[in-house]
Amino acid sequence: MQITDRITQVSGIGPAYAKRLERLGIYKVSDLLYHKPLRYIDYSVVSAIGQIQEGETVTIRGKVKTITSNFIRGRRLTIQRAVIEDETGEVQLTFFNQPFLVNMFIGNMVGISGTVKKFGNKLTFDQPEYEVLRSVGGIHTGRIVAVYPQTEGISSKWLRVKIAFVLNNVENFDDPIPIKVIQENNLMNLSKALNNLHHPESINDIENARGRLAFDELLYLQLASIIRKRLWRSKKLSTKLEVNSHLTEINQFIANLPFDLTDDQKRAISEILADLRNDRPMNRLLSGDVGSGKTVIAAVALYLSSLNRTRSLFMAPTEILATQHYQTLTKLFSPVNIKVGLTTSSTKQNTQDSDVLVGTHALLHDQNYLKSISLIVVDEQHRFGVQQRSFLSLNSGNPHLLTMTATPIPRTIALTIYGELDVSTIVQMPKGRKRIKTFVVDKSKHIKGYDWIAKQVLGSKKTGDREQAFIVYPLIEESEKMTEIKAATSEYLKLKKGPFKNLNVGLLHGKLKPNQKQKIMKSFKDKKLDILISTTVIEVGMDIPNATIMVVEHAERFGLAQLHQLRGRVGRNNKESWCFLFSDMKSERLKAMETNYSGITLAEIDLRIRGGGDIFGIKQHGASELKFASFSDSGILRQARKSAQDILDKDPKLIDHQNIKKNLSSLLDLKVLPN
Ligand code: ADP
Ligand code: MG
């Protein structure tokens, strides 16, 4: 049997079992070997029967003295009672509906593992793990045993047997990782790691096995990331830009801005200009919290493209954002006579003769247009998947690419999944921004909270210094859309009639048509609405200067970094602003929001508490496939990065590492690695 064989090659696995295994994502022999136990039960304490005590979890070994099977009166159940003995005593076992045990047990030596109970004054095991002992050492008893996630028709016991069988019978079990890497990093070899994963002798074995398998996962991610980076480096640039001769104009543009740039903004601009001077396409990620002023940095790059008499693209994830950027850029560029166009599925403005074209990612499908541009800016980068970015392999050469994100990404993660990007980070916020006062509000105070908000907003209408509020409901999965919309709609009606009856309240949800959304957003922006209830977070990046209050319902469902981004929707106008995190539970994690104002710090706190799964952008990079590794394994991450680098330094095309290359294919389009 080969590790690459289909699962039906394993003896005893027919089409029926294969179907069930598919539900667990198991198609091949290797999938079975990498099937991760949910937990382990320690049955390694073996006791003489005479010494077992009530409540103990133990294994006993003995001879079957008697076993009977009977119907339970009036029911269709059968009950099996057995007595097991050794030199020190005997104990009773009870099973249900397993009449076959009679033939299996009778006269044999068996191993029994479970928790000892007392029935009357007798010690018993109810439905324990069992096996007939044919040789020394068992699979299900007398050791640490693996428990697998449950699925119908596949028991842990069945899996243990099949996996043990496969481990004993699989041939050619080559370790794809070079021996040198294994030694340097003190790793267990692969076959031992898989053995220990399923049949550990000790807790230590489990840890070491997990360490090895985690290393592999991170190594492949790192390899893919380095390869993507090298690939980008080898790309031709479509249009070379002239920078130095335009520095005066750029400085003039910056000097005419209504504010002074922060030092971080200036640094990011010079990093970008340095990239734009190059003969190869820029691939830079500009990362900075919401409100840190990324747009104006992008504007400088767009301006440079126009000064070179070339066209550029600015892409946003939603129509609303595209429209907003269109307005911002039109204003920014009007003094310098740069024409901005807008194209979305519902509008087209100045698209023909624009220098800078703003739009949604629908723009990417216009290959003709793409050919003629020198720079693409992608806002809220995490929303674009790898596929969408892979458009950037035009034969005519690639334009410069600047991607922007407000998603705080811990450095270790950035290096792993965005390894192909150069990163500029803005930490400093523009001067004068006030801290957004943040409170976790538990259930008992929700009503009071709404009343306070109503008073605050109503008061502001009287003074004329308007304030507005967002109320956000989480939308976790696409499939929940309808229920969430219903919840938000009924909540909207309740609030409108209740605490907010003297205010104008709007409702925005994902099922509205783009022009309806647009209309509601516009009324909010034009202050016709005081309060906007929204089901989604699609409008990240939306700029409403008078919004001072952000309420997040069911806040516990969000990652801290996401909450931080939502909080960034308010406090844009140097006014006192508030963020209320409504939650039905008491959550220490949420409390971190009250005292932390750095997106990166919050992301790192969440990484420690919840692992990396919530961090945007990870999914698109195959990292959600991590089974054994976690981004909080910073030690393993570092080791894997170094090893990946070493491997590729010596063998850039992985010619001597064909197995590694094969395994990379799920992360990387292998056409990029010609032989
Ligand atoms: P984000 O990084 O979230 O995209 P924006 O670019 O939308 O942030 O900037 C938020 C607001 O801050 C905008 O109104 C912008 O004009 C303003 N802004 C940007 N840089 C500065 C600065 N250095 N000083 C003051 N205000 C700034
Ligand atoms: Mg922005």
Side-chain angles (χ1 to χ4, degrees):
M1 189 185 349
Q2 308 284 329
I3 195 164
T4 48
D5 282 348
R6 293 196 58 79
I7 198 73
T8 41
Q9 298 288 323
V10 180
S11 87
I13 302 188
Y17 268 106
K19 252 242 148 73
R20 291 178 205 164
L21 286 168
E22 273 180 22
R23 284 204 302 266
L24 298 171
I26 297 171
Y27 301 88
K28 290 188 304 189
V29 170
S30 59
D31 297 332
L32 195 58
L33 293 182
Y34 280 90
H35 189 53
K36 189 188 175 189
L38 191 63
R39 57 195 167 83
Y40 298 87
I41 304 179
D42 190 349
Y43 288 140
S44 60
V45 177
V46 180
S47 175
I49 295 177
Q51 272 155 26
I52 56 174
Q53 315 234 357
E54 184 187 358
E56 241 185 329
T57 299
V58 292
T59 295
I60 55 153
R61 291 178 179 146
K63 199 165 160 79
V64 180
K65 192 177 164 193
T66 60
I67 177 157
T68 57
S69 178
N70 293 296
F71 277 97
I72 297 179
R73 201 174 317 153
R75 314 246 311 261
R76 294 172 77 177
L77 276 176
T78 59
I79 183 165
Q80 291 73 42
R81 291 199 183 88
V83 175
I84 311 296
E85 62 176 0
D86 67 5
E87 304 86 63
T88 64
E90 57 179 55
V91 66
Q92 185 168 316
L93 321 177
T94 321
F95 300 93
F96 292 100
N97 275 349
Q98 301 186 59
F100 58 86
L101 285 178
V102 174
N103 280 334
M104 187 189 212
F105 270 31
I106 197 83
N108 278 322
M109 284 292 291
V110 293
I112 299 296
S113 293
T115 305
V116 183
K117 296 225 171 91
K118 202 161 194 169
F119 188 73
N121 56 6
K122 278 197 170 152
L123 294 177
T124 68
F125 287 93
D126 274 353
Q127 310 243 62
E129 282 281 356
Y130 59 82
E131 64 193 314
V132 174
L133 297 175
R134 300 220 157 75
S135 55
V136 239
I139 296 179
H140 311 296
T141 65
R143 56 174 312 129
I144 297 175
V145 301
V147 179
Y148 299 92
Q150 279 196 326
T151 186
E152 216 175 295
I154 297 205
S155 64
S156 285
K157 191 161 186 159
W158 185 88
L159 281 167
R160 267 179 236 139
V161 173
K162 290 300 169 216
I163 290 172
F165 175 79
V166 168
L167 280 167
N168 286 328
N169 289 286
V170 73
E171 296 157 42
N172 272 343
F173 204 28
D174 286 342
D175 195 328
I177 310 297
I179 186 81
K180 186 167 163 284
V181 172
I182 290 184
Q183 283 167 353
E184 272 170 3
N185 295 293
N186 227 340
L187 299 171
M188 201 175 249
N189 81 48
L190 185 58
S191 98
K192 191 156 178 220
L194 290 171
N195 244 303
N196 285 352
L197 178 71
H198 301 289
H199 305 116
E201 301 274 308
S202 65
I203 302 295
N204 224 5
D205 276 356
I206 303 173
E207 248 329 287
N208 289 336
R210 196 194 71 88
R212 162 63 207 258
L213 299 172
F215 179 90
D216 286 12
E217 287 179 340
L218 294 174
L219 180 77
Y220 288 118
L221 276 186
Q222 302 280 15
L223 286 166
S225 148
I226 296 170
I227 290 169
R228 279 199 297 263
K229 178 166 200 147
R230 292 188 179 176
L231 185 74
W232 186 274
R233 292 248 155 112
S234 71
K235 278 186 197 293
K236 256 191 339 195
L237 176 65
S238 54
T239 317
K240 172 113 170 75
L241 294 178
E242 176 56 48
V243 177
N244 289 356
S245 58
H246 296 296
L247 284 179
T248 327
E249 289 147 293
I250 285 178
N251 285 330
Q252 194 58 48
F253 177 76
I254 292 172
N256 285 343
L257 290 171
F259 42 74
D260 291 332
L261 294 179
T262 63
D263 289 343
D264 279 1
Q265 284 175 313
K266 287 183 201 157
R267 193 175 31 77
I269 289 175
S270 45
E271 285 166 354
I272 290 167
L273 291 181
D275 285 353
L276 295 178
R277 277 188 188 97
N278 267 328
D279 290 328
R280 36 181 186 79
M282 163 168 81
N283 193 12
R284 185 168 288 275
L285 176 70
L286 176 58
S287 150
D289 272 357
V290 166
S292 60
K294 296 184 290 295
T295 317
V296 69
I297 298 175
V300 171
L302 297 167
Y303 182 45
L304 184 81
S305 155
S306 308
L307 290 172
N308 277 267
R309 307 202 173 284
T310 61
R311 301 180 82 190
S312 55
L313 279 187
F314 190 121
M315 298 193 306
T318 64
E319 297 209 17
I320 291 175
L321 276 178
T323 310
Q324 185 181 295
H325 280 310
Y326 167 71
Q327 286 156 357
T328 307
L329 292 175
T330 305
K331 219 191 292 167
L332 267 173
F333 287 142
S334 74
V336 285
N337 266 325
I338 303 288
K339 269 219 195 87
V340 185
L342 175 67
T343 173
T344 67
S345 55
S346 54
T347 34
K348 295 227 174 328
Q349 290 173 52
N350 316 326
T351 51
Q352 288 311 307
D353 57 344
S354 61
D355 305 298
V356 178
L357 186 60
V358 184
T360 54
H361 56 258
L363 281 179
L364 292 180
H365 300 302
D366 191 346
Q367 291 279 326
N368 268 337
Y369 196 85
L370 285 179
K371 257 184 240 158
S372 67
I373 54 171
S374 62
L375 167 71
I376 302 180
V377 176
V378 182
D379 195 21
E380 303 299 343
Q381 178 278 336
H382 61 264
R383 292 174 178 277
F384 291 87
V386 171
Q387 297 92 332
Q388 276 156 324
R389 288 204 284 147
S390 67
F391 67 92
L392 287 166
S393 45
L394 304 166
N395 291 330
S396 48
N398 284 335
H400 292 293
L401 181 63
L402 176 65
T403 48
M404 307 203 286
T405 182
T407 303
I409 310 154
R411 217 184 112 70
T412 45
I413 298 187
L415 272 175
T416 311
I417 62 178
Y418 296 130
E420 73 269 35
L421 303 174
D422 297 307
V423 182
S424 296
T425 308
I426 318 177
V427 179
Q428 256 175 335
M429 293 298 265
K431 263 206 259 16
R433 289 273 156 79
K434 285 219 169 101
R435 284 241 153 130
I436 297 153
K437 291 191 176 152
T438 304
F439 302 95
V440 178
V441 182
D442 70 40
K443 199 162 189 164
S444 65
K445 303 219 175 74
H446 288 187
I447 306 273
K448 256 196 188 151
Y450 290 131
D451 288 341
W452 184 90
I453 293 164
K455 219 168 118 195
Q456 183 74 16
V457 175
L458 209 57
S460 79
K461 284 180 103 165
K462 291 197 177 119
T463 64
D465 190 9
R466 292 284 299 275
E467 295 187 27
Q468 293 167 285
F470 286 104
I471 298 182
V472 176
Y473 282 82
L475 178 73
I476 300 301
E477 279 174 31
E478 202 64 8
S479 60
E480 288 179 23
K481 211 164 204 161
M482 274 331 286
T483 24
E484 295 294 333
I485 289 170
K486 273 194 201 126
T489 310
S490 73
E491 206 61 20
Y492 158 75
L493 293 171
K494 236 192 314 192
L495 291 173
K496 207 164 104 125
K497 282 193 215 125
F500 301 150
K501 59 178 179 292
N502 298 319
L503 296 167
N504 299 320
V505 189
L507 174 67
L508 192 69
H509 61 69
K511 280 272 148 83
L512 293 175
K513 300 234 161 59
N515 59 347
Q516 289 174 298
K517 278 193 216 169
Q518 206 88 11
K519 228 165 98 185
I520 293 169
M521 282 311 308
K522 193 167 180 319
S523 338
F524 194 52
K525 216 169 173 164
D526 296 344
K527 296 181 229 157
K528 287 190 192 114
L529 293 173
D530 302 303
I531 292 178
L532 184 67
I533 296 180
S534 161
T535 52
T536 64
V537 289
I538 47 164
E539 320 312 337
V540 188
M542 199 171 60
D543 200 11
I544 307 285
N546 285 297
T548 57
I549 298 169
M550 167 62 66
V551 177
V552 184
E553 305 272 353
H554 301 292
E556 73 281 351
R557 294 204 197 166
F558 289 94
L560 296 183
Q562 272 174 293
L563 289 173
H564 179 68
Q565 282 189 288
L566 284 171
R567 173 165 68 183
R569 303 284 107 241
V570 299
R572 297 212 149 193
N573 206 1
N574 298 338
K575 284 189 194 172
E576 183 101 70
S577 299
W578 297 268
C579 173
F580 300 107
L581 304 173
F582 280 26
S583 175
D584 294 350
M585 340 199 245
K586 287 220 174 351
S587 156
E588 279 309 305
R589 194 176 64 87
L590 285 183
K591 282 270 174 197
M593 293 291 298
E594 294 184 347
T595 47
N596 285 286
Y597 288 87
S598 143
I600 272 286
T601 309
L602 287 165
E604 270 157 8
I605 291 173
D606 240 13
L607 183 62
R608 279 202 303 274
I609 303 179
R610 310 215 296 185
D614 296 317
I615 295 168
F616 271 135
I618 288 188
K619 277 212 178 87
Q620 291 97 316
H621 286 77
S624 62
E625 308 289 305
L626 294 182
K627 251 197 210 169
F628 300 98
S630 142
F631 281 113
S632 36
D633 292 333
S634 52
I636 304 182
L637 260 171
R638 253 195 314 278
Q639 289 178 320
R641 180 144 194 95
K642 183 176 174 302
S643 298
Q645 200 82 50
D646 289 348
I647 291 172
L648 287 170
D649 280 349
K650 297 216 183 67
D651 184 13
K653 296 195 189 293
L654 296 176
I655 289 163
D656 297 328
H657 296 86
Q658 287 299 325
N659 281 335
I660 289 187
K661 190 171 163 179
K662 238 183 267 149
N663 291 340
L664 267 179
S665 61
S666 62
L667 290 174
L668 210 58
D669 180 359
L670 275 189
K671 274 179 285 177
V672 306
L673 268 184
N675 277 308

